[in-house]
Amino acid sequence: SERRTVEKRTDDNEEVAIKRYKTYESSTEPVIEYYNKLNLVKVIDGERSIDQINKEISDIIALI
């Protein structure tokens, strides 16, 4: 994957990705759902450039 090439990660393989996703489903997703019900979740497109992501986060923080 591109991430493995860029970050030089040796642990980016299918088995690890599946394990990470299962951990996300069991541990992270329920927490996100809880806070989403309280309207406290802000979604940011992590596929954009770092500058765009930074601006979006900064804009959200400025509104708090």
Side-chain angles (χ1 to χ4, degrees), residues 1-2 4 8 13 15 18 20-21 24-25 27-30 32 36 38 40-41 48 51 55 57-58 60 62-64:
S1 76
E2 182 180 346
R4 180 175 48 200
K8 311 247 185 300
N13 60 53
E15 180 181 332
I18 290 169
R20 285 184 186 141
Y21 187 74
Y24 167 81
E25 285 183 315
S27 300
T28 307
E29 191 172 40
I32 294 171
N36 193 39
L38 298 174
L40 296 173
V41 173
R48 299 167 66 197
D51 289 337
K55 181 182 180 331
I57 292 171
S58 296
I60 291 169
L63 296 174
I64 297 176

Side-chain angles (χ1 to χ4, degrees), residues 28-60:
T28 307
E29 191 172 40
V31 174
I32 294 171
E33 288 176 14
Y34 172 81
Y35 285 106
N36 193 39
K37 288 178 184 175
L38 298 174
N39 293 320
L40 296 173
V41 173
K42 305 296 182 201
V43 177
I44 296 172
D45 181 357
E47 295 292 322
R48 299 167 66 197
S49 74
I50 292 173
D51 289 337
Q52 290 171 320
I53 293 169
N54 186 44
K55 181 182 180 331
E56 193 170 342
I57 292 171
S58 296
D59 291 348
I60 291 169

Side-chain angles (χ1 to χ4, degrees), residues 7-24:
E7 295 182 12
K8 311 247 185 300
R9 292 184 64 141
T10 58
D11 64 341
D12 262 355
N13 60 53
E14 186 175 350
E15 180 181 332
V16 172
I18 290 169
K19 183 178 178 184
R20 285 184 186 141
Y21 187 74
K22 287 181 180 180
T23 300
Y24 167 81

